[in-house]
Amino acid sequence: LVMTMMVLLFQVVFVVSLVARPVEALVFSWRFDGRFAFAPAIVRSPSSPELPSGVRPLSLLGYSLGGYVILQYDRSPAESYYEVVEMGALCVKNGAVGQWGRELFVSTPGARDACRKIWGVPATLADVDVVEDGSLLRLERDAKDAIFRVEGWRRTRAEASFTRASLPLLWTPQITTLFAPLRLPPEAARKSLRLHDLRISATSVAFHPFQLGGSASSSGRQQGTPLGFALSADGLTIEIAEATDEL
C-alpha cells in the first residue's frame, strides 16, 4: 500500500507538470523516434555516497521506486540502437522531483560516443539481444557483464490509438535523471548540472505482464522487486532542447 501511494504521488507530480511549464516556444535540437517500455520495481533507497552530489533520495520506509527502461530508437542523432536504463530511485535536487538513472547502457559504439560527446551522458556499451517473440515481456541481465536479453518485444509495437499526446520534462544528462517541471521550494544547494527541456510524445500506450531475470546488477547490488508489469509506448518521439538553465 505504501509503495502504491508513492507510485500514485509520482504520477500526479508528472501530470501536474503538463500545465506547469509551456514548451511551445522552445526549439528542440535533437529528436529520437521509436518505442519504449518501463518496468517499475521497488528498490532499497540508495545511500548518499551512491547518489550524485546534491541529490537526495525520495523514499518511504527505506524504499523507493526504481526499475528498468528499455528503448528502441529507429531514428536518432546517432543511429538506430537499443538502450537499457536501470532506474535507481525517486529523487530531489534543488526542489525538482525526478527519477535518477543509476546506469545507462547502449547497444552500439556510435550511440555511446554520441551520448558522451553531445550531452555528457555516462553511457556504457552493452550487448543487448532483443527477441520479438515471447510469452511475455521479459528482461534478463547478466550478473557480471553488460549483457541484456529482451524477450517479447513485439508486445510494445502497436498501431496509433489516439492523437499524439506530449509530456514536458527536464533532463540532466550528466546524472541521467528526468525531473518534472513542477518545482518544490528550492534548496540552498549549488547549481552544477546543465538542464535541458525535453518533450516526450507517443501515439499508443499499453500495459503488459513483465518478468525480470538475473539475480543482481554487475556490481552485485540486488535489482529490487519488480511490480510485475511494464508500461510501453509506441510512436514514441523524444525531443531535446539545448541547455538553457542549471539545476
Side-chain angles (χ1 to χ4, degrees):
L1 178 60
V2 170
M3 291 310 304
T4 300
M5 293 176 64
M6 177 178 286
V7 173
L8 291 174
L9 175 62
F10 186 59
Q11 292 174 338
V12 168
V13 169
F14 275 85
V15 169
V16 172
S17 74
L18 285 169
V19 295
R21 187 179 179 89
V23 296
E24 289 79 4
L26 292 172
V27 176
F28 294 98
S29 302
W30 302 284
R31 174 171 172 160
F32 299 74
D33 293 309
R35 60 202 53 81
F36 86 97
F38 170 52
I42 300 170
V43 298
R44 288 191 178 276
S45 181
S47 61
S48 295
E50 295 179 85
L51 289 164
S53 177
V55 176
R56 295 188 295 105
L58 185 61
S59 61
L60 287 174
L61 303 178
Y63 290 89
S64 189
L65 184 68
Y68 279 92
V69 178
I70 309 164
L71 304 106
Q72 179 183 16
Y73 296 123
D74 300 321
R75 186 178 71 171
S76 79
E79 53 198 336
S80 60
Y81 67 96
Y82 291 98
E83 180 176 298
V84 179
V85 187
E86 181 187 355
M87 306 307 296
L90 302 182
C91 64
V92 179
K93 187 178 192 305
N94 277 336
V97 178
Q99 192 171 33
W100 167 53
R102 184 186 288 272
E103 294 182 281
L104 184 145
F105 301 89
V106 295
S107 62
T108 68
R112 176 199 57 195
D113 296 343
C115 285
R116 293 179 178 181
K117 294 177 181 178
I118 299 175
W119 304 287
V121 175
T124 300
L125 183 62
D127 181 357
V128 183
D129 179 23
V130 177
V131 179
E132 291 288 322
D133 294 331
S135 58
L136 50 73
L137 188 59
R138 173 182 170 85
L139 172 65
E140 180 119 10
R141 178 176 183 175
D142 187 279
K144 297 180 179 179
D145 301 304
I147 301 175
F148 298 87
R149 179 179 172 86
V150 181
E151 298 176 359
W153 189 244
R154 65 177 173 80
R155 296 176 178 274
T156 66
R157 302 180 184 276
E159 297 294 331
S161 58
F162 52 76
T163 303
R164 181 172 295 275
S166 62
L167 177 69
L169 299 170
L170 299 173
W171 181 48
T172 52
Q174 301 104 304
I175 60 171
T176 57
T177 301
L178 288 173
F179 291 96
L182 182 67
R183 300 280 193 92
L184 301 174
E187 304 164 352
R190 181 173 66 90
K191 294 183 177 182
S192 58
L193 300 173
R194 297 192 308 276
L195 193 62
H196 295 257
D197 280 276
L198 182 148
R199 180 169 61 189
I200 297 178
S201 61
T203 58
S204 67
V205 296
F207 287 93
H208 315 275
F210 175 81
Q211 187 176 74
L212 178 64
S215 59
S217 70
S218 57
S219 63
R221 181 185 61 257
Q222 295 301 309
Q223 298 181 102
T225 304
L227 297 184
F229 71 89
L231 169 68
S232 72
D234 202 0
L236 174 72
T237 295
I238 300 175
E239 298 166 286
I240 304 172
E242 297 278 359
T244 57
D245 199 355
E246 291 187 330
L247 183 64

